[in-house]
Amino acid sequence: MENWIGIEKEYYMPTFKRFPVTLVKGRGNTVWDDSGKEYLDLVAGWAVNSLGHCHPVVVEAVCRQAAELIHTSNSYYTVPQLELARLLVENSCLDKVFCCNSGTEATEGAVKLARRYGHKHLGGAYEVITALGSFHGRTLAMVSASGQTKHQQPYTPLPSGFANVEFNNIDALKAATTENTCAVMLEPVQGEGGVNLADAGYLKQVRRWCDEKGILLILDEIQTGIGRCGSMFAYEVYGIEPDILTLAKGMGSGIAVGAILAKNHASVFGVGEHGSTFGGNPLACEAARAVISYIIQNDLSRHAADMGKLLHDGLAGLVEEFDCVKATKGLGLLQALSFETEIADKVVLDCLREGLLVNRLKPDAVRFMPALIITPDELYRALDILRRVLKAIQYAG
Ligand SMILES: *Cc1c(COP(=O)(O)O)cnc(C)c1O
């Protein structure tokens, strides 16, 4: 067997803290490593594999489209791109779509769109207010937008034009609003930042404030969208509508694809003002169209709500059972479990050994974001493994 850990060390930039396992195959909610060991996957490629691994619907769409037409340029009309756009518009409160290849590209594009709006309608306003603890991506501008010093500090000086304010604090947001503000950009649930839920009333207050000031509300639903939080989009749970919405992760169940959606009044890009070579290509768009159609036809959002409740209740049971477990929080199939001390690395490694993949969120918290097709049996199995692991840690400590 090749030593992939050594090969990575020699050839790959050391940007990722990886666990000592090399995955070679996946089906449904199961993955296998190069020694043939099997794992139950509650990470799903960081909330990407919405239909699990190698779902027949995705495999069929990719193979069929790959044999038909993979890429043209955006100088021509292509069918999958337009079918995907129509599907997204018909199933959301937004009116127009622009396709890209990743989450970062979607949020970066959304900020460009908001700046165009500022130039056209707000006397040149350009600043975007975002939340502390947020995550909007890895380009310099999106690092500046993301309110986390660990992502910002290594890359100063950062692009200007962003104000990071406390999440769930409407007064802080109001105080940061100036005549230069063109938009507010928020995640309904901060995923990477700790699975921090927006308070029930907060997003409504933000919506009202944006309307009052005539500025745009961008919701970054790259992680929360496409069924994950128990409805097609998390904004539905909160009873508000954004002017601009960004999507990516779960859209293609593993195929790289993202999108910016906007209401008509906020759809202000003109010809040549934004673009992408790969964005909107037939292969990625056909995969996304197939995935989203399948999610809608099988009401997997509803299933995610049910499975999310089951998972949340199971995790709450662990909070009751173990002194080392502090709390659980989440929405739908985006859940976190926090500990009294910094044992997350140990929990993740012990779970790995027991054949369960969970995500280390922080030194003292882990995250669960399984595929939307996860079953009750699989969740019970995962909870059993977690219970075994926590029991061993509790007795040892
Ligand atoms: C993952 C994520 C991004 C960045 O997406 P990439 O595809 O990694 O560029 C942006 N915003 C949110 C909320 C995310 O979860």
Side-chain angles (χ1 to χ4, degrees):
M1 222 159 54
E2 289 258 36
N3 173 14
W4 294 115
I5 294 172
I7 290 167
E8 195 247 22
K9 208 174 171 65
E10 185 163 355
Y11 294 107
Y12 208 85
M13 293 190 194
T15 55
F16 298 103
K17 178 174 162 49
R18 304 193 206 243
F19 296 101
V21 51
T22 304
L23 299 176
V24 294
K25 182 181 161 128
R27 286 291 181 281
N29 298 303
T30 306
V31 288
W32 288 267
D33 71 14
D34 56 350
S35 75
K37 181 173 170 176
E38 183 177 314
Y39 304 84
L40 176 57
D41 183 4
L42 266 58
V43 179
W46 289 335
V48 164
N49 300 306
S50 44
L51 301 188
H53 296 274
C54 302
H55 193 285
V57 160
V58 182
V59 174
E60 188 279 327
V62 168
C63 291
R64 177 171 38 74
Q65 190 60 44
E68 198 64 30
L69 183 67
I70 295 176
H71 179 81
T72 69
S73 81
N74 275 306
S75 298
Y76 310 99
Y77 299 89
T78 50
V79 178
Q81 180 186 103
L82 301 175
E83 286 188 334
L84 173 62
R86 181 167 59 187
L87 184 67
L88 286 170
V89 167
E90 284 178 350
N91 289 280
S92 72
C93 68
L94 293 307
D95 302 309
K96 294 284 192 292
V97 177
F98 181 91
C99 292
C100 55
N101 310 286
S102 70
T104 306
E105 268 182 75
T107 47
E108 177 100 19
V111 167
K112 283 177 74 179
L113 186 59
R115 282 202 182 185
R116 281 307 290 139
Y117 188 89
H119 284 214
K120 285 189 173 171
H121 300 303
L122 301 172
Y126 60 90
E127 194 163 67
V128 176
I129 301 174
T130 64
L132 289 168
S134 64
F135 183 76
H136 300 294
R138 296 282 193 168
T139 56
L140 282 172
M142 289 309 100
V143 158
S144 190
S146 302
Q148 298 194 51
T149 45
K150 69 173 178 187
H151 295 312
Q152 296 179 334
Q153 192 270 328
Y155 299 106
T156 53
L158 296 173
S160 57
F162 298 96
N164 309 140
V165 303
E166 195 186 351
F167 191 49
N168 277 330
N169 181 340
I170 188 67
D171 293 330
L173 193 142
K174 287 182 176 178
T177 307
T178 70
E179 59 187 17
N180 292 327
T181 307
C182 67
V184 174
M185 179 161 73
L186 296 169
E187 298 157 90
V189 181
Q190 293 186 334
E192 209 260 359
V195 187
N196 309 315
L197 277 69
D199 294 338
Y202 175 66
L203 289 181
K204 283 196 170 135
Q205 289 173 310
V206 175
R207 176 69 273 180
R208 229 174 290 134
W209 179 247
C210 289
D211 289 341
E212 203 177 312
K213 292 287 154 186
I215 59 179
L216 299 175
L217 176 58
I218 305 169
L219 286 184
D220 177 350
E221 292 227 32
I222 286 162
Q223 187 158 155
T224 57
I226 315 292
R228 174 136 312 267
C229 289
S231 59
M232 196 58 186
F233 305 104
Y235 70 72
E236 300 166 64
V237 177
Y238 283 94
I240 58 151
E241 295 188 354
D243 303 296
I244 300 173
L245 178 75
T246 60
L247 300 172
K249 291 196 165 85
M251 272 182 85
S253 197
I255 303 300
V257 57
I260 309 163
L261 279 67
K263 292 212 175 191
N264 278 326
H265 69 270
S267 177
V268 292
F269 280 145
V271 171
E273 290 184 348
H274 195 48
S276 174
T277 298
F278 293 111
N281 71 78
L283 188 67
C285 287
E286 182 55 16
R289 187 207 58 74
V291 168
I292 295 169
S293 297
Y294 187 86
I295 289 171
I296 293 168
Q297 278 161 22
N298 293 277
D299 205 358
L300 289 187
S301 303
R302 176 67 192 278
H303 181 70
D306 294 342
M307 293 304 99
K309 185 173 181 333
L310 193 159
L311 176 59
H312 187 83
D313 291 349
L315 295 173
L318 299 178
V319 177
E320 291 293 306
E321 196 173 336
F322 296 104
D323 294 339
C324 62
V325 183
K326 191 173 176 180
T328 183
K329 58 180 172 175
L331 189 63
L333 283 175
L334 181 56
Q335 298 281 336
L337 189 67
S338 61
F339 309 111
E340 294 291 348
T341 54
E342 300 192 345
I343 56 169
D345 279 310
K346 179 156 178 53
V347 170
V348 171
L349 269 171
D350 291 354
C351 284
L352 189 75
R353 216 165 287 130
E354 298 283 327
L356 174 68
L357 304 186
V358 299
N359 172 245
R360 175 204 180 275
L361 183 58
K362 293 197 279 191
D364 63 349
V366 294
R367 178 171 44 164
F368 309 88
M369 40 191 165
L372 308 184
I373 59 160
I374 197 87
T375 64
D377 279 352
E378 287 168 326
L379 287 177
Y380 290 132
R381 245 169 67 210
L383 288 162
D384 279 345
I385 293 175
L386 262 172
R387 184 174 296 111
R388 254 199 333 269
V389 162
L390 291 167
K391 201 174 219 169
I393 289 174
Q394 182 127 315
Y395 281 126

